Amino acid sequence: MAKKISGKGRPSGEPSTATERKIRILLELVRNKFIRLERMCEEYGTSERTVLRDLQELRKIGERAGFRIAEKSEHDRVRLLDFDQRPTGIDKSSRALQTLIRDAGRALGAPVEAQLQSIQADEPREERRFLHFLQPALREGTHVAEAFDELQAAWANNARVTFRYSGKERRVEPGCAVMRSGRYYLLARDAGGTRDWKYYALDAIQGAIKRAGSFSPQPIPQKYLNDDVLGFIQGKSEQRVSVWLSPAIAPSATSREWQRAQETQLHDDGSATMTFTVSDVGEVVRWAFGFGADAKVCAPPQAVEHARAIAEKICAEYR
């Protein structure tokens, strides 16, 4: 008999939202000497109380790592009071944390590694650790890495940019960069007639990225800031897509949280069926194909047909 469970785990190597938020807060403090509470709350869709709790945890780390954060906010700002560029009182737990941050940066690739290095004064001494990160990393000097640097610089200066994408000239207002399964995307607001928010894969940007005037940043709609691996492409309608997983792959696939809305049914023979709610059926089809013959799109009929058409095209390439 099948039973329904909710997946709680994250994909291997994927940092939690809370961890990412704390690292971002510390980066902002080191870079700008202060953070704005309202901005942090808006960017992460969380309460001021949560951000204040993050700051309190960072204050505790600062006691050992050589920095001090103001206890009180002033006009929505919390300031970095002191930062020792070469902290000497780092204990074993802090060294382990630095090692973890370094390895996470290397696993995520050049852009993230460069930003995380700014909070580490010295190369951390190698610590014995249980967790390692293994995934394709973005190489420095590549087309995507250079596009990332150009877009980040434009974003920092509130500059619109133009580039060619899918054969068309685009003029957009950069909002943020998103990394999904090792691929980088720009989330930007159309500066033309629609003013819609859209994703642009950095590897698909054609030609040079040029600046085209300035803009006043607008808050990113919360639906675009979700941290789901599946279903992050937003559309006007949603549909549920189910995938059958063989007994060989079911324990691995069902142990991870690919999407908060995912539903899982475990079957007596060890197989499982996972159901996702998405705007783009192709996201689920591509995910299922990653498991080869151990996964099969099984509902609804239009998703099955979409998967079949792609499978037939793949087979034709091998004839």
Side-chain angles (χ1 to χ4, degrees):
M1 180 177 179
K3 60 180 179 179
K4 187 175 176 180
I5 64 172
S6 296
K8 295 297 182 183
R10 291 186 302 278
S12 177
E14 184 78 13
S16 69
T17 302
T19 298
E20 180 183 336
R21 189 175 62 241
K22 289 167 191 169
I23 292 175
R24 171 65 187 281
I25 289 172
L26 186 55
L27 284 171
E28 289 288 323
L29 285 169
V30 172
R31 186 181 297 121
N32 302 320
K33 309 306 180 188
F34 70 89
I35 63 162
R36 292 186 180 274
L37 295 174
E38 183 178 358
R39 180 183 175 189
M40 287 293 112
C41 294
E42 288 178 352
E43 289 195 6
Y44 285 95
T46 190
S47 67
E48 182 175 310
R49 182 178 179 181
T50 297
V51 175
L52 291 174
R53 186 166 60 244
D54 291 342
L55 284 165
Q56 190 58 31
E57 292 180 19
L58 288 171
R59 290 186 185 100
K60 293 293 184 182
I61 295 174
E63 292 174 3
R64 302 186 296 271
F67 62 87
R68 285 193 308 124
I69 301 171
E71 290 289 337
K72 296 182 178 180
S73 62
E74 303 174 4
H75 306 295
D76 193 50
R77 293 186 177 189
V78 176
R79 297 188 177 277
L80 179 68
L81 300 179
D82 184 47
F83 180 72
D84 186 354
Q85 295 290 341
R86 299 183 61 85
T88 57
I90 300 178
D91 62 12
K92 188 176 186 301
S93 63
S94 295
R95 288 197 302 270
L97 176 62
Q98 282 203 344
T99 299
L100 183 65
I101 291 173
R102 180 201 63 186
D103 289 353
R106 286 178 177 173
L108 294 173
V112 179
E113 184 178 10
Q115 294 192 33
L116 292 181
Q117 283 177 345
S118 68
I119 66 172
Q120 294 184 313
D122 301 298
E123 182 72 10
R125 190 178 72 189
E126 189 68 20
E127 292 290 320
R128 182 172 180 265
R129 64 194 186 282
F130 186 69
L131 177 63
H132 293 257
F133 301 90
L134 296 174
Q135 67 173 41
L138 180 61
R139 294 174 54 203
E140 190 172 1
T142 60
H143 169 72
V144 173
E146 291 177 354
F148 181 96
D149 290 341
E150 289 283 350
L151 293 167
Q152 184 182 42
W155 167 83
N157 290 279
N158 297 332
R160 291 190 181 97
V161 294
T162 61
F163 51 78
R164 288 191 65 78
Y165 193 87
S166 297
K168 296 180 180 179
E169 191 74 15
R170 313 287 179 159
R171 186 166 180 262
V172 302
E173 300 169 355
C176 68
V178 179
M179 189 186 73
R180 301 281 180 171
S181 302
R183 193 181 191 191
Y184 281 78
Y185 298 84
L186 169 69
L187 175 60
R189 189 166 178 249
D190 178 35
T194 67
R195 313 299 289 177
D196 291 337
W197 290 89
K198 297 180 181 178
Y199 288 104
Y200 302 90
L202 266 60
D203 54 273
I205 291 178
Q206 303 161 342
I209 297 172
K210 301 177 182 178
R211 298 196 186 184
S214 60
F215 68 97
S216 298
Q218 300 295 315
I220 299 174
Q222 185 56 41
K223 70 177 183 177
Y224 290 99
L225 297 176
N226 72 73
D227 54 7
D228 290 333
V229 175
L230 289 175
F232 87 98
I233 296 178
Q234 300 297 316
K236 294 182 180 179
S237 61
E238 293 182 334
Q239 48 187 312
R240 290 159 56 82
V241 181
S242 297
V243 178
W244 173 86
L245 302 159
S246 77
I249 201 66
S252 172
T254 60
S255 68
R256 288 174 275 177
E257 183 182 86
W258 308 92
Q259 183 186 66
R260 288 195 183 93
Q262 74 186 37
E263 296 178 2
T264 303
Q265 287 185 313
L266 302 179
H267 307 301
D268 291 339
D269 63 354
S271 65
T273 300
M274 297 188 73
T275 301
F276 305 97
T277 303
V278 295
S279 294
D280 179 14
V281 171
E283 283 192 272
V284 183
V285 172
R286 289 188 293 272
W287 175 82
F289 279 7
F291 294 110
D294 286 306
K296 180 176 68 176
V297 177
C298 55
Q302 58 266 38
V304 174
E305 183 56 36
H306 183 68
R308 181 184 294 112
I310 295 177
E312 290 175 352
K313 187 175 181 181
I314 293 173
C315 289
E317 294 292 331
Y318 284 91
R319 288 174 185 159

